[in-house]
Amino acid sequence: MSVLPYLVAVWIFLTGCYGLATSRNLIHAVGCLAVCQSATYVLLLTVGYRDGATAPVYSDIKPGTRPVVDPVVQALALTDVVVGATVTALLLALVLQVSKRHGTVDPDELRELRG
């Protein structure tokens, strides 16, 4: 098994974290958070991948004759995509409300939110 997909997932995650840490725009921060979550897609696909395996459709093959890809990992990846899209939409709606109320999307200019 290759280490390359794991390294790609870590690289994508760290790139998103760097963008999140250096962001001076809330919309950019939401995009960087989406990039961080996309690392989980790569990680899930890496965990579920098997060399020479086929799709987990058992109607045309006898069980145990060929290796198949784990369908649970595929379902988790699909769920991860849906949850990521929902969280991104919710965060963008919150950024829109902050922009309407305070007139800016720069986190440093939002003085009313400081404790």
Side-chain angles (χ1 to χ4, degrees), residues 37-79:
Q37 185 170 8
S38 67
T40 61
Y41 309 152
V42 176
L43 187 64
L44 283 171
L45 292 174
T46 301
V47 169
Y49 179 75
R50 292 178 64 187
D51 286 330
T54 60
V57 180
Y58 296 109
S59 64
D60 60 341
I61 61 172
K62 293 180 184 177
T65 58
R66 290 188 287 182
V68 293
V69 179
D70 189 9
V72 174
V73 177
Q74 293 177 4
L76 285 174
L78 182 60
T79 303

Side-chain angles (χ1 to χ4, degrees), residues 1 4 12 15 26 28-29 44 47 56 60 72 110:
M1 184 169 211
L4 182 64
I12 292 171
T15 302
L26 292 176
H28 183 260
L44 283 171
V47 169
D60 60 341
V72 174
L110 297 173

Side-chain angles (χ1 to χ4, degrees), residues 17-30:
C17 286
Y18 175 76
L20 192 60
T22 60
S23 177
R24 292 293 152 233
N25 188 331
L26 292 176
I27 297 172
H28 183 260
V30 170

